[in-house]
Amino acid sequence: MLKRNARQLKEKVMFSLSGASMVVVVGFLGLIIAFLVSKGAEVINWEFLTEMPRQAMSEGGIYPAIIGTLLLALGAIIFAVPLGILAAIYLSEYAAEGRLKRWIRIGVNALAGVPSVVFGLFGLAIFVILFGFGASLLSGSLTLGLLILPLIIRSTEEALKTVPNSFREASLGLGATKWQTIRKVVLPTALPNILTGIILAVGRAAGETAPILFTATVFFMKRMPEGIMSKVMALPYHIYALMSEGIYPEKHTAIAYGTALVLLGLVSLINLTAIILRTRARKRKKW
Amino acid sequence: MSKRFFKSEKPIKGALAIFALLSLIFLAGILVTLLAQALPFLGEYPLGDFLTGESWRPTMEEPMFGMLPLLLSSLLVTAIALVIAIPLSLGTAIFLAEVAPPWLRETVKPIIELLAGIPSVVFGFIGMVMIAPFLKDLFDLPVGLTALNAGIILAFMAYPTMASLAEDAISSVPSDLREASLALGSNRWEMMSRAVLPAARNGIFQAILLGFGRIIGETMVVLMVAGGAAQMTINPLKPVRPITATIAAEQGEAVAGSLHLHSLFMLALLLFIITLAFNVLAEGIKQRNDLSFKRNKKGATL
């Protein structure tokens, strides 16, 4: 009898501990969000979001950094989405199981695991120096595009796999070719899930710092970027620079709180959009 | 003729295959670039001194490029992070797979996903303004920017990946294994610890390996909160300088074409090899895992 109670107690304790581990993480997340919101909200107002920085970044807004981050993420998507979707179509619809497919999959996963700072050095050596693009919006976008390419391939492949085979068979049975089937049946059916993956990749690109550290960013700009060869300000780099320059520590830290909250809000909004889109796509699924 | 060419779909498959191969090509491109930029360093500085040197002083008149303190810093920070992240993520995985009601699972999963989306620089900022003062008071330190601080933050960054992979591994254990264990009189914890977790061990191991790769490659957090001192220490309360932080911090000051800049590419090459090895290992374990379940299924039908 006693032994049985001990066993039951152990079950209770272990499962409670497992629940507690989740509470610790969710609590930590709540704590950092509450902390950033309370400190950042003091700084954020309309001028902060829409004005140029002034007085060596100790006053004014972060407008060019917001625009710079959006441009970098957009550039990365333009580069990575077409390549990623085409690669995923091959992996999901054409490639037979075998050595080649296994190597490609290892390559995609290995690319996803390359540290972001290594992407930064690669971008510096290839895009900035070898191709002569300099530190620019173009170099930064290409570097970020490379970083999110494996994410797009993996999410698109997953999305294509969720399309039932009967859809393909019906289309082929009606006389459509394989390519027509992919274009007219498979891709449209998988579209919401593909979009979810792309939006998550945008969020990732918008938040990365190390890859653009050497390839695109500048701490302080008096004008907006003029073209793809122009350097840009970016929210993630801005936070880092404010915290490491240290000319006006008090004023800089206050602006950094505001910038961190803006970046967190922007990225969370992007990710939330993706999560909602995915949930709705799942609910609408009729097969 | 040309019309017939376009009607044939052979070229489509070939073109798509090229796009799929691009990932491998980019990967090889990164490796070649790092090698090409690291070679001049190896030409001027003995590899043995680089691998076993105990001081990293790149800007001295007689520069020293000993990478041991940097590697030790990376490993120390990673070890601290894993010690925190493994129990948290495994606990969460068990809770979500076995204990939590569906509504709770559906609420917690998006929250974990939002945590995964927080940019590393924001985590680094949190480490500087929130964790550092806390650790400084708690341990009475001169500054709170230490290996422990970086380890705590990195644990929460690696947690989402590790928790979700471990949960996948636990959920994918076939239900006949659970039923058999319960039928033999185990309670649910005994079923979990003696039947399910051993069956899911490959997937869990894979989660830990990928967590390791993620942590050791993370840059901004260690750059901002690890303290930056290149010293040989395993004391979590001392400032350290991991490999990634060294590359990011010194790239800006190293002169183009200098031995110093090439030494940073050498460090990046080292980091690339470490993370690649761990990722390929994790991949291999996953494939072995999938295979063994397939075998089980086949065995069951016989």
Side-chain angles (χ1 to χ4, degrees):
Chain A
M1 196 63 197
L2 197 73
K3 199 171 172 209
R4 186 182 170 141
N5 279 342
R7 284 174 56 204
Q8 275 173 346
L9 189 69
K10 192 169 182 193
E11 181 184 27
K12 269 227 166 72
V13 169
M14 294 315 283
F15 280 146
S16 304
L17 278 178
S18 76
S21 68
M22 197 195 71
V23 173
V24 166
V25 174
V26 175
F28 180 80
L29 179 67
L31 198 66
I32 61 177
I33 289 176
F35 186 74
L36 277 182
V37 169
S38 70
K39 294 271 193 172
E42 292 168 18
V43 191
I44 295 180
N45 51 40
W46 188 244
E47 284 74 36
F48 187 71
L49 298 175
T50 57
E51 280 189 6
M52 304 295 287
R54 289 192 309 268
Q55 306 282 330
M57 285 311 315
S58 62
E59 280 169 38
I62 55 166
Y63 181 62
I66 297 175
I67 296 301
T69 287
L70 294 178
L71 288 175
L72 282 167
L74 183 71
I77 286 297
I78 290 173
F79 172 64
V81 164
L83 298 187
I85 290 184
L86 291 172
I89 292 175
Y90 177 78
L91 286 175
S92 159
E93 307 295 319
Y94 284 95
E97 288 298 333
R99 194 166 290 169
L100 178 68
K101 190 172 174 181
R102 212 172 71 219
W103 273 103
I104 292 174
R105 179 143 304 137
I106 289 175
V108 171
N109 287 337
L111 196 63
V114 171
S116 54
V117 71
V118 174
F119 278 110
L121 271 189
F122 175 76
L124 173 74
I126 299 298
F127 303 130
V128 176
I129 297 171
L130 188 68
F131 291 178
F133 297 157
S136 60
L137 180 56
L138 178 62
S139 296
S141 296
L142 289 172
T143 310
L144 285 174
L146 217 52
L147 181 120
I148 60 170
L149 177 65
L151 308 183
I152 302 226
I153 295 177
R154 287 203 293 208
S155 62
T156 306
E157 201 193 340
E158 286 299 316
L160 294 176
K161 270 191 200 153
T162 62
V163 178
N165 258 333
S166 54
F167 281 35
R168 297 183 180 86
E169 284 152 12
S171 170
L172 293 171
L174 288 170
T177 64
K178 185 159 191 172
W179 183 241
Q180 284 169 332
T181 302
I182 291 168
R183 256 184 24 207
K184 303 259 170 74
V185 178
V186 179
L187 281 178
T189 313
L191 190 64
N193 287 328
I194 295 177
L195 273 179
T196 304
I198 293 174
I199 296 172
L200 285 174
V202 172
R204 176 79 193 276
E208 277 290 341
T209 318
I212 56 172
L213 205 55
F214 323 137
T215 58
T217 51
V218 55
F219 180 34
F220 180 48
M221 272 187 14
K222 290 195 170 144
R223 279 169 307 188
M224 297 299 288
E226 282 153 354
I228 56 169
M229 300 310 272
S230 161
K231 286 187 183 183
V232 288
M233 285 175 69
L235 290 170
Y237 177 67
H238 200 59
I239 297 169
Y240 168 66
L242 285 169
M243 296 308 287
S244 58
E245 290 279 313
I247 321 170
Y248 305 103
E250 293 283 307
K251 286 179 172 174
H252 277 175
T253 308
I255 295 179
Y257 273 114
T259 312
L261 184 57
V262 170
L263 179 62
L264 182 69
L266 181 72
V267 171
S268 300
L269 196 70
I270 292 171
N271 289 338
L272 210 57
T273 310
I275 292 171
I276 290 171
L277 188 69
R278 187 180 54 205
T279 316
R280 281 186 46 185
R282 250 181 224 160
K283 272 194 190 138
R284 256 210 312 259
K285 197 166 110 170
K286 291 194 191 80
W287 55 89
Chain B
M1 187 65 201
S2 71
K3 213 171 181 180
R4 211 170 133 200
F5 175 79
F6 282 114
K7 274 214 168 139
S8 152
E9 294 202 341
K10 279 241 170 71
I12 295 180
K13 185 178 178 184
L16 288 172
I18 294 173
F19 285 106
L21 281 169
L22 274 180
S23 295
L24 276 174
I25 295 169
F26 287 141
L27 197 67
I30 292 174
L31 183 62
V32 169
T33 305
L34 295 180
L35 271 173
Q37 294 287 327
L39 272 181
F41 173 78
L42 288 175
E44 282 187 50
Y45 199 83
L47 181 63
D49 290 1
F50 170 76
L51 290 176
T52 60
E54 292 187 11
S55 51
W56 181 265
R57 295 205 187 98
T59 49
M60 302 257 290
E61 208 145 311
E62 275 292 306
M64 296 166 88
F65 298 100
M67 65 99 200
L68 274 187
L70 313 179
L71 182 66
L72 193 64
S73 299
S74 282
L75 292 178
L76 175 65
V77 167
T78 307
I80 297 169
L82 283 180
V83 165
I84 302 169
I86 289 174
L88 284 182
S89 52
L90 207 54
T92 305
I94 291 172
F95 185 77
L96 288 181
E98 208 56 43
V99 189
W103 66 266
L104 186 58
R105 196 160 42 218
E106 295 312 309
T107 323
V108 169
K109 279 189 161 180
I111 293 178
I112 293 179
E113 221 169 328
L114 284 183
L115 179 68
I118 296 181
S120 55
V121 70
V122 173
F123 272 116
F125 181 67
I126 290 290
M128 286 178 90
V129 297
M130 200 170 115
I131 314 275
F134 172 73
L135 290 179
K136 191 179 160 206
D137 291 345
L138 187 65
F139 295 106
D140 201 17
L141 301 169
V143 274
L145 301 177
T146 60
L148 178 62
N149 190 340
I152 293 172
I153 298 278
L154 289 170
F156 285 97
M157 289 188 69
Y159 165 88
T161 318
M162 291 169 66
S164 78
L165 281 174
E167 203 237 317
D168 286 347
I170 291 174
S171 314
S172 70
V173 170
S175 57
D176 34 351
L177 217 66
R178 292 161 200 266
E179 286 154 14
S181 173
L182 291 175
L184 288 171
S186 330
N187 63 33
R188 279 160 69 217
W189 169 250
E190 287 157 353
M191 169 199 83
M192 181 49 74
S193 62
R194 293 183 197 169
V196 177
L197 288 182
R201 65 180 183 277
N202 277 347
I204 292 169
F205 193 46
Q206 186 209 12
I208 295 172
L209 284 180
L210 286 179
F212 179 95
R214 173 96 205 265
I215 295 168
I216 206 165
E218 170 51 41
T219 309
M220 294 317 290
V221 168
V222 290
L223 179 61
M224 293 168 86
V225 306
Q231 52 179 330
M232 300 284 291
T233 179
I234 51 164
N235 183 346
L237 297 176
K238 286 269 164 65
V240 294
R241 190 180 184 88
I243 299 174
T244 50
T246 311
I247 299 172
E250 294 177 12
Q251 190 281 328
E253 60 202 45
V255 185
S258 66
L259 189 62
H260 187 190
L261 187 61
H262 290 304
S263 77
L264 299 181
F265 277 94
M266 187 68 210
L267 286 178
L269 182 64
L270 183 75
L271 190 66
F272 180 83
I273 292 169
I274 294 174
T275 49
L276 189 69
F278 272 83
N279 280 305
V280 173
L281 197 64
E283 185 71 15
I285 284 170
K286 187 182 162 230
Q287 282 181 357
R288 218 177 65 186
N289 195 20
D290 295 350
L291 229 76
S292 77
F293 274 132
K294 260 181 217 150
R295 261 209 308 275
N296 283 349
K297 263 188 203 146
K298 207 173 172 189
T301 55
L302 277 175

